[in-house]
Amino acid sequence: MSSEFNELLPVAQDERVQVWIIGTRDQVIFTMNEFYVRRIATDRVQFTPIIPAPFATGKYMTVLVR
């Protein structure tokens, strides 16, 4: 399904999908950039700020909300 059809689907704010990215800081930044280049995320502000993962030592995380 192409993105123009996805925009026509009714999605309530509380039903938006979350994609969690967890890894080293470099892996998280690389994946965020890759999502932007591949147009999975239309803007980098769709990601939450990078924070230390509370359940994994030495890992960081961000969440993409679509």
Side-chain angles (χ1 to χ4, degrees), residues 8-52:
L8 298 175
L9 295 172
V11 178
Q13 284 292 80
D14 59 340
E15 295 180 3
R16 293 172 42 182
V17 172
Q18 295 181 353
V19 178
W20 290 41
I21 303 171
I22 303 167
T24 66
R25 187 170 180 81
D26 289 340
Q27 289 171 330
V28 170
I29 292 169
F30 178 86
T31 304
M32 289 171 65
N33 290 333
E34 186 176 26
F35 278 20
Y36 177 72
V37 168
R38 294 178 185 257
R39 297 183 182 174
I40 295 170
T42 56
D43 195 352
R44 288 186 176 95
V45 298
Q46 292 179 297
F47 293 96
T48 61
I50 298 173
I51 60 169

